[in-house]
Amino acid sequence: MRLLRTKTLEFEDFLDSQLPVYAILSHRWGEHEVSYKEMRGFQKEHLAATNEERYKAAEASGLGMAKIKNFCQKASSNGFDWGWIDTCCIDKRSSAELSEVRASFIVEDFLPYHGTKAASQMRLITGARDTTGTGTG
């Protein structure tokens, strides 16, 4: 599974057996959502940037990137090092990856979250108000 490091906006892949606790962005899709390909482009473009510079660049890159940045900041401030956003963490060009993600949702819907702290903080994060100004977050 691919997760987004909340402090650096960088991806990392994990085996299911090694998944850390992570926050999930629950949101409505808007017209400015960032795809996996676009996120990789942003990451390559800002490879040498500091974390603060990446956050500023994300804010300036448009509504979709600002939404990702706001989620990562909120998740990080609540103790999460990792986050997952369906629009940018899944490479929708890969049918194998799409199948894997769909299958994991079916299983994970019936499994409890990793610990009470994670579950309560996920509700806090996913229930956060729209901070992008788009009405989609």
Side-chain angles (χ1 to χ4, degrees):
M1 176 173 214
R2 182 177 301 113
L3 298 177
L4 191 59
R5 185 179 289 276
T6 58
K7 290 188 169 118
T8 65
L9 305 178
E10 291 289 326
F11 287 131
E12 189 165 329
D13 292 314
F14 293 91
L15 299 173
D16 287 345
S17 62
Q18 298 174 334
L19 270 177
V21 174
Y22 59 98
I24 299 171
L25 176 64
S26 175
H27 64 117
R28 288 178 282 153
W29 285 18
E31 56 187 88
H32 303 287
E33 300 301 336
V34 176
S35 70
Y36 169 76
K37 182 179 177 183
E38 292 166 330
M39 190 67 186
R40 291 296 297 151
F42 175 85
Q43 291 168 342
K44 288 177 184 173
E45 185 178 334
H46 299 91
L47 191 60
T50 66
N51 297 346
E52 185 177 328
E53 289 169 338
R54 275 194 202 108
Y55 272 167
K56 285 181 182 177
E59 189 71 39
S61 293
L63 297 175
M65 282 302 300
K67 184 181 196 176
I68 291 170
K69 184 226 35 148
N70 290 339
F71 163 72
C72 285
Q73 283 183 318
K74 182 70 172 173
S76 180
S77 72
N78 280 280
F80 289 96
D81 294 328
W82 301 99
W84 186 83
I85 306 168
D86 57 355
T87 54
C88 70
C89 289
I90 303 169
D91 186 354
K92 294 169 193 69
R93 300 170 298 171
S94 166
S95 59
E97 192 166 325
L98 281 171
S99 295
E100 182 182 329
V101 169
R102 286 182 185 126
S104 72
F105 279 126
I106 292 169
V107 172
E108 290 176 12
D109 280 346
F110 299 102
L111 297 176
Y113 291 109
H114 298 273
T116 311
K117 178 181 176 193
S120 65
Q121 287 187 353
M122 272 195 212
R123 281 194 298 275
L124 178 96
I125 290 169
T126 59
R129 66 179 176 76
D130 174 20
T131 54
T132 65
T134 65
T136 61

